[in-house]
Amino acid sequence: MATARKGRELFTILETSADTESTAACDSQDSPLNLSADVKWFEIPYRKPDSDEEDELREEEEEEDGGGGEGENGFTSTAAAAAAETADAASFIAGGGCNIILVTGSNGLKHDEEEYAEDCYYSTSTNCSDTTSNDSDIDFSDLEEEEERRSFFSFEDDLDEDCTSPDFWGEPDQVISIEPFSAVSGPQHSLGDDADTRDYFRILFPDSLFEHMVEQTNNYALYRQRRSGKSDPHWHPTDVREMKAYVGLNILMGINQLPDTGMYWASDIFIGNAGFKKTMTARRFEKLTQYLQLCDRESEPVRGERGYDGLFKIRPLLDVVENTMWDAYVPNRCLTIDKCAIVTKGRFSPTQYMSSKPLRKGLTVWMLCDSRSGYCHRAKIYVGRPSEDEAAACLGYRVVTSLVRGLEGQYHHLFMDSFFTSVPLLQRLLRDGQYACGPTQPGRKGYPEVLRPRNVGKLSQGEFYQCQRGNLVATVTRDAKVVSCLSTNSAPGIVGISPGRQQHEADRDGENDSIDSSGLSFGVPRPLPLLLYQENMRGVDLCDQLRECYQVGRPCKKWWRYFLWFYVNLCIVNAYIILRESRGGAPPAGFNGKQFTQRHFRVRLAQQLIGDYQGARGMERAARKRHADSPIEYGHRLERMSERSRRCRNCTNKGLRHESVFGCKICNVHLCRGGCFSEFHK
């Protein structure tokens, strides 16, 4: 059954039936799609329309039939009439520049040309995802930054091919060539089976960083005291053991979350944490937080000087962590590029306001993550609008090329959102041996004029147009809304249907025709680029889910602290992924639980970072307990403490109020001259 616009036939509805289901190729091992096994797919052979005379005869026959659009199986398709000013574009589409397909919930398809499968080449490979996709959950929302969007249009491509030429795009009947991915990928380390969580974390966050943090923290404390002209009586230099314990306490704060930091040291037995009290005092924790530093503040260049760096305060951390994250895990075949936001309360010029996002105000970080595991290979911090020297370069173009630097010629498949995807970028990636797929904005440079909304007209769900130039395929379709996308890893003319949620009850108004015998309802048919995008565009989301479950660090007014704890948290997530993939899901030695989750990993890591470290107050308590049997033998004796009387600690513990000038200097407490001394030390 064909539905034609006035004058020329635009598309053909390919009907499916149960008779052809047995001959479908979607369940075979030679499936050309990089999709899960539950996705039903079809190959649509490209066929040019007949001559004008045959079109007119066919149109007259349809008018004699009553003008009805129903086929034998009751399927209907309608196409909105094109505007008068877009007649040229419509004639191009009618001439074979695009395909439109509307299919139903059957997985069989009878081709008009049996040899089409041999003519179309698509390399087979293993799936990049093990999960089943559901109905449309694709978000193709635009980004909010107008100046970044304008940079797409002003970007001048340096390639030889002019993507704005009218002859650039052609008919979607060309054979695409996709090289197989054969590089070695996965975790790269030399740890044995006896390695624990601390060993995996050390791969990404080495001990040299802790030593650097200790050195710069001690220097910054002296720098602050010199500037103020006063010494801090509550500060003494820190060391590596104490810094590791400090980081471990911050990790535990993300698991046991309380509204205020001081509540962890509260005297209330239902609120206070005995482990925190044993590790260090609340005042010591506050002092470490106050003087924590990563750089030499005395040598920091000011804005306008030569060598100024907006990320100078965290540059030592970035130089180490970016290399360790890249070397610890060799990227797999499918990668995701997307942005994440960090909520901040401090003042930092690159802070962005995004009204349509859940986190409306925050710092932006571009991330390159594995589509399957969520491992973050690289992260690039947004530091504001580009300088005059970079004005000619597109922001999204520069972000993607910097994130994938070092992957040239390895035939990775990149999936990105509409903020990045453009014709010049996909041409550059294809030239470098990298395939890409993602939605785009139809008004960007190089996108086919005939596929823009004003020329395509109104689409029904499942209909799509395509244009092609080599491996580069442009598609416009209607899913939940009209979507335009570009891809270099998808053959044209392939459509698939993802299984939806299981239907337990029939609809109240009647039975649902889209329910098959297995009880699964099938959604709207989508072309291959959108299916691949939906299957693999979740790497950054997986990383964000693991990272946001347990935050590290506390809110503050210093912007660089957010990035410090962001990278510490990112190293924890990456270390957990490396451990999970290296051990095949098996927990480390000594774990008795059923399943080793991220929470167990974080608790175990924090315990190993803290170790047996005890601050001054903790050592006093340990000594008090250790020498309780014979306090005088170990130097504990009753002597005059001060001229001013203080409350007796032993009487206070019993709810009494007595004061004394005597006490124990080793325990640093005032005690009554009676039996309080011996009773307190027992």
Side-chain angles (χ1 to χ4, degrees), residues 363-437:
L363 303 172
T364 299
V365 180
W366 316 107
M367 300 176 66
L368 173 68
C369 296
D370 186 83
S371 298
R372 178 172 54 87
S373 64
Y375 181 92
C376 179
H377 297 282
R378 273 179 180 159
K380 183 178 179 62
I381 300 175
Y382 174 71
V383 293
R385 66 178 63 183
S387 61
E388 295 180 358
D389 296 337
E390 300 172 332
C394 167
L395 177 61
Y397 185 94
R398 291 186 293 107
V399 168
V400 174
T401 53
S402 62
L403 288 175
V404 301
R405 186 178 295 112
L407 300 179
E408 293 82 0
Q410 300 183 22
Y411 307 112
H412 290 275
H413 290 239
L414 308 176
F415 298 88
M416 60 197 77
D417 64 4
S418 59
F419 179 76
F420 305 99
T421 311
S422 62
V423 173
L425 175 61
L426 267 64
Q427 286 183 283
R428 164 70 181 274
L429 295 175
L430 187 61
R431 185 185 63 181
D432 294 340
Q434 298 166 349
Y435 305 104
C437 176

Side-chain angles (χ1 to χ4, degrees), residues 258 267-273:
L258 293 177
S267 57
D268 192 330
I269 60 174
F270 296 103
I271 299 178
N273 191 303

Side-chain angles (χ1 to χ4, degrees), residues 126 191 318 373 387 509 667:
T126 57
L191 299 178
L318 298 179
S373 64
S387 61
D509 298 338
C667 298

Side-chain angles (χ1 to χ4, degrees), residues 451-472:
L451 297 189
R452 299 191 178 185
R454 64 176 181 270
N455 296 331
V456 174
K458 186 176 181 180
L459 299 177
S460 301
Q461 282 193 334
E463 294 179 317
F464 67 95
Y465 293 121
Q466 286 184 324
C467 291
Q468 183 182 5
R469 180 180 178 84
N471 270 42
L472 184 59

Side-chain angles (χ1 to χ4, degrees), residues 450-519:
V450 295
L451 297 189
R452 299 191 178 185
R454 64 176 181 270
N455 296 331
V456 174
K458 186 176 181 180
L459 299 177
S460 301
Q461 282 193 334
E463 294 179 317
F464 67 95
Y465 293 121
Q466 286 184 324
C467 291
Q468 183 182 5
R469 180 180 178 84
N471 270 42
L472 184 59
V473 177
T475 306
V476 59
T477 183
R478 183 175 181 85
D479 192 72
K481 61 180 182 180
V482 177
V483 178
S484 302
C485 75
L486 295 169
S487 63
T488 56
N489 59 352
S490 307
I494 298 182
V495 67
I497 304 178
S498 300
R501 58 183 176 86
Q502 188 171 2
Q503 183 82 2
H504 297 284
E505 299 178 355
D507 295 340
R508 295 181 179 179
D509 298 338
E511 296 184 356
N512 193 345
D513 294 336
S514 63
I515 307 299
D516 63 356
S517 59
S518 62

